[in-house]
Amino acid sequence: MPVIDVNGIQLHYEEAGEGEPVVMIQGTGAGRTVWQLHQVPALTAVGFRVITLDNRGIPPTSGWTEGFTLQDMVGDVAGLIEHLGIGPCRVVGTSLGAFITQELALCRPDLVRQAVLVATRGRTDVLRAAITRAEIELYDAEVELPVRYAAVVRALKSLSPRTLDNGAAMADWLDLFELSPAGGPGHRAQMELSTLDHRLEAYRGIRVPCQVIAFADDLITPPHLAREVADAIPGAAYELIEGCGHYGYLEDPAAVNKAMVEFLTGTAAR
């Protein structure tokens, strides 16, 4: 796996496929491999070269585990695109990765050809701020939750009722969550960035073609907050996918991949 020195860190990334480049950015606490189950195969199958990366604070990428900003993470992605010489390119981000993507589109439009913003928002409301602060306080208190309990809470927060009510699917999800490593200090640093400032007015200045993909049952970035981003960005497309929570790109990858591919290839119905 290639590694580059960029923006003061050692950033690890991986490439797959050939063709026009797409950079994919994961959310809080997640690594590049999450994309590889469904999204990387879908994009390489239609002729894209896909670059996935481990964000600052997520091993094996290095970086300060505290004190970094959203703009630091934007700079990391900008540095990767410049190092590879692929700008302007397509950029896809989910959750925190979407925050990075929309800020990159705003401040470095020379590097972004199209942007897909999955499970995003442009401000932090009272509930989302409270959830983030509670999780940070729990981490700082060094409370170690029982693994099964933590898995159940994660499922309730991240999945749709459709999945929660499917016994066979839930058994698999709970097993997966139990096997997922607990977040470290890098995850803790990224959580601080989840309390996004009110940025909707700034996003009116984005001129990059954007698609916002929202999930109807998303508790972390609910669709009405994602819709605000689409309404703020001039000309942005908006796609609402039913029966999915925050992990909609894993719950219904076929629907997400179809929407994403049609936007990126210009084949969406008009």
Side-chain angles (χ1 to χ4, degrees), residues 35 37-48 50 253 257-258 261:
W35 291 122
L37 185 59
H38 299 294
Q39 281 68 50
V40 171
L43 291 173
T44 56
V46 295
F48 285 115
V50 183
N257 294 346
K258 180 177 183 292
V261 166

Side-chain angles (χ1 to χ4, degrees), residues 139-182:
Y139 180 94
D140 289 348
E142 299 182 354
V143 174
E144 188 171 341
L145 297 173
V147 172
R148 173 62 58 156
Y149 180 80
V152 170
V153 170
R154 185 175 175 186
L156 290 171
K157 187 175 70 171
S158 304
L159 302 174
S160 68
R162 175 175 62 88
T163 300
L164 295 173
D165 292 339
N166 183 325
M170 275 313 304
D172 290 340
W173 277 103
L174 290 172
D175 286 345
L176 175 65
F177 289 160
E178 284 192 57
L179 292 171
S180 300

Side-chain angles (χ1 to χ4, degrees), residues 44-117:
T44 56
V46 295
F48 285 115
R49 168 190 173 194
V50 183
I51 298 100
T52 55
L53 63 138
D54 290 310
N55 286 322
R56 176 183 295 246
I58 301 301
T61 288
S62 65
W64 302 278
T65 55
E66 57 185 35
F68 59 80
T69 67
L70 184 61
Q71 288 306 314
D72 288 326
M73 300 185 78
V74 172
D76 297 341
V77 178
L80 175 64
I81 293 172
E82 290 176 325
H83 174 84
L84 296 175
I86 58 175
C89 65
R90 297 166 172 87
V91 183
V92 176
T94 187
S95 197
L96 176 59
F99 303 169
I100 296 168
T101 301
Q102 58 210 29
E103 292 291 335
L104 181 69
L106 178 65
C107 71
R108 292 297 306 271
D110 57 307
L111 298 180
V112 184
R113 178 175 171 181
Q114 292 174 294
V116 178
L117 311 171

